[in-house]
């Protein structure tokens, strides 16, 4: 599969599909990466989406995805864990795959992630969300995996090839595939803190410490996905073209703020895709001048 795109859209709901359709109309090579069906997939009936009275959410979503594919947008079902600005491109880590893009649209809806107490303060100082990106930093040491679903099992198995792995469940799930060397710690994770060079996890059954902690959940908080983006009162700061504080990164849909409505998400997907096309054209023109 192609790994370099003009535009990567994170999210495959109304906003993401609408952005993909318009981006293809503007001839941008486009990849839409989505982990699931989002809010529309949970909506039994939606009666104010223009042109589709009494629409069923999952059917409307299916039609939007087919439209995006018909226009030539590629798509991958995967959870994006990190977007990293690299020179004038972005590296997008989805599962264990890395894709490159010249612009990005964030269309991840409103999925909220409940962080552990102390977690946010320790991001980059021992707390990581990506085994592939940061596993090597702890080679030969001990790492703690705080896991919410069975997908974390594979990541923990990879980490166990580098380090001693302690595994704590944040939510119940099957751990059948864990290598024997991985030690499962009982207890509900409560908070994280630093003690000297070690990170300490307090659970309801005691404490456990490690050199690094990998928090592996099926959703990623916006601030961890791309920490460079400016937010105010928990809301992404956007200009009139839906561009974030990081040039080339745009946002659309529920993630961009109220009203949380499908028609607004579709409109914003369109605006963000057009703004992304304009951004890429200007960048190309400037590069040709130099
Ligand atoms: C029960 C219910 C009823 C509703 N009724 C109405 C109504 O009557 N009228 C109306 O206009 N609106 C209604 N809404 C709201 C409407 O569904 C949303 O406004 C709309 O779906 C938002 O679209 P979106 O694309 O922004 O987000 P979503 O549809 O939530 O899509 C988000 C996408 O991002 C993906 N994603 C998230 N994080 C990641 C990640 N890290 N990596 C990869 N993918 C990721 C998700 O898997 C999903 O594909 C309703 C919502 C609900 C829940």
């Amino acid at each position: 599969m192609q790994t370099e795109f003009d535009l990567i859209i994170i999210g495959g709901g109304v906003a993401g599909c609408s952005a993909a359709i318009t981006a293809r109309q503007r001839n941008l090579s486009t990849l839409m990466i989505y982990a699931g069906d989002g809010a529309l997939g949970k909506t039994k009936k939606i009666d104010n989406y223009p042109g589709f009275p009494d629409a069923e959410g999952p059917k409307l979503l299916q039609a939007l995805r087919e439209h995006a594919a018909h226009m030539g947008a590629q798509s991958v079902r995967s959870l994006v864990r990190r977007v990293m600005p690299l020179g004038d491109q972005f590296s997008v880590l989805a599962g264990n795959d890395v894709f490159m893009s010249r612009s990005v649209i964030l269309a991840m809806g409103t999925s909220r992630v409940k962080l552990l107490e102390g977690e946010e303060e320790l991001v980059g100082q021992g707390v990581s969300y990506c085994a592939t990106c940061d596993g090597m930093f702890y080679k030969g040491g001990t790492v703690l995996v705080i896991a919410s679903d069975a997908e974390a099992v594979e990541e923990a198995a990879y980490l166990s090839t580098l380090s001693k792995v302690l595994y704590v469940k944040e939510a119940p799930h099957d751990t059948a595939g864990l290598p024997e060397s991985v030690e499962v710690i009982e207890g509900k994770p409560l908070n994280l803190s630093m003690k000297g060079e070690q990170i300490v996890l307090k659970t309801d059954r005691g404490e456990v410490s490690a050199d690094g902690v990998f928090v592996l959940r099926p959703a990623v908080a916006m601030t961890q996905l791309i920490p460079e983006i400016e937010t105010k009162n928990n809301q992404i700061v956007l200009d009139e073209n839906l561009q974030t504080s990081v040039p080339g990164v745009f946002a659309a849909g529920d993630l961009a703020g109220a009203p949380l409505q499908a028609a607004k998400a579709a409109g914003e997907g369109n605006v963000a895709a057009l703004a992304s096309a304009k951004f890429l054209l200007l960048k190309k023109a400037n590069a040709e001048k130099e």
Side-chain angles (χ1 to χ4, degrees):
M1 186 187 173
Q2 182 185 342
T3 54
E4 269 198 58
F5 294 86
D6 293 324
L7 172 66
I8 289 183
I9 298 160
I10 307 172
V14 193
C17 291
S18 166
I21 291 163
T22 297
R24 285 301 303 141
Q25 197 189 28
R26 286 299 169 111
N27 213 22
L28 304 186
S29 58
T30 303
L31 174 67
M32 184 167 78
I33 309 176
Y34 60 94
D37 289 343
L40 199 59
K42 298 186 191 110
T43 312
K44 277 204 181 97
K45 196 167 86 72
I46 191 167
D47 54 16
N48 64 337
Y49 193 81
F52 294 89
D54 298 328
E56 287 171 35
K59 276 196 184 160
L60 184 57
L61 183 61
Q62 179 66 20
L64 286 160
R65 290 203 178 141
E66 282 171 9
H67 191 169
H70 173 77
M71 296 291 284
Q74 296 191 48
S75 63
V76 164
R77 196 167 182 128
S78 188
L79 181 76
V80 175
R81 293 202 180 276
R82 197 183 284 183
V83 177
M84 275 175 286
L86 281 182
D88 65 348
Q89 293 206 54
F90 300 94
S91 143
V92 177
L93 187 93
N96 286 327
D97 298 314
V98 178
F99 298 98
M100 298 301 293
S101 183
R102 284 174 272 282
S103 61
V104 172
I105 295 177
L106 306 172
M108 286 108 63
T110 50
S111 53
R112 294 266 178 266
V113 177
K114 193 168 178 289
L115 303 183
L116 289 172
E117 193 189 319
E119 181 180 328
E120 187 135 42
E121 295 77 359
L122 295 175
V123 174
Q125 295 173 59
V127 169
S128 168
Y129 297 94
C130 174
T132 311
C133 317
D134 299 333
M136 283 299 274
F137 293 138
Y138 304 103
K139 195 171 179 199
T142 299
V143 297
L144 185 65
V145 170
I146 301 176
S148 290
D149 70 356
E151 296 225 348
V153 167
E154 196 183 320
E155 304 285 297
Y158 161 68
L159 287 169
S160 74
T161 64
L162 304 167
S163 320
K164 164 86 187 144
V165 176
L166 311 173
Y167 192 97
V168 185
K169 289 186 196 175
E170 195 173 39
H173 59 269
D174 183 12
T175 52
L178 274 181
E180 268 179 29
S181 63
V182 173
E183 189 181 334
V184 178
I185 309 284
E186 298 300 330
K188 182 178 180 311
L190 297 177
N191 64 53
L192 289 165
S193 60
M194 258 343 243
K195 213 176 245 174
E197 301 273 285
Q198 295 266 296
I199 294 201
V200 180
L201 170 73
K202 192 172 171 203
T203 74
D204 59 356
R205 299 217 189 160
E207 285 188 355
V208 54
S209 59
D211 301 306
V213 174
F214 290 86
V215 185
L216 304 176
R217 302 190 179 102
V220 182
M222 225 288 300
T223 45
Q224 269 96 59
L225 190 86
I226 172 160
E228 293 81 0
I229 281 185
E230 192 187 336
T231 56
K232 204 173 173 186
N233 302 328
N234 268 336
Q235 197 58 54
I236 306 183
V237 176
L238 296 169
D239 70 11
E240 66 280 10
N241 295 315
L242 301 178
Q243 185 165 226
T244 68
S245 58
V246 177
V249 179
F250 302 82
D254 284 3
L255 173 104
L260 308 185
Q261 292 279 284
K264 179 251 189 194
E268 285 186 348
N270 167 271
V271 172
L274 291 173
S276 165
K278 192 170 173 188
F279 169 83
L280 291 171
L281 266 180
L282 279 175
K283 209 161 84 167
K284 194 169 167 223
N286 286 338
E288 279 165 6
K289 267 190 222 152
E290 279 166 14

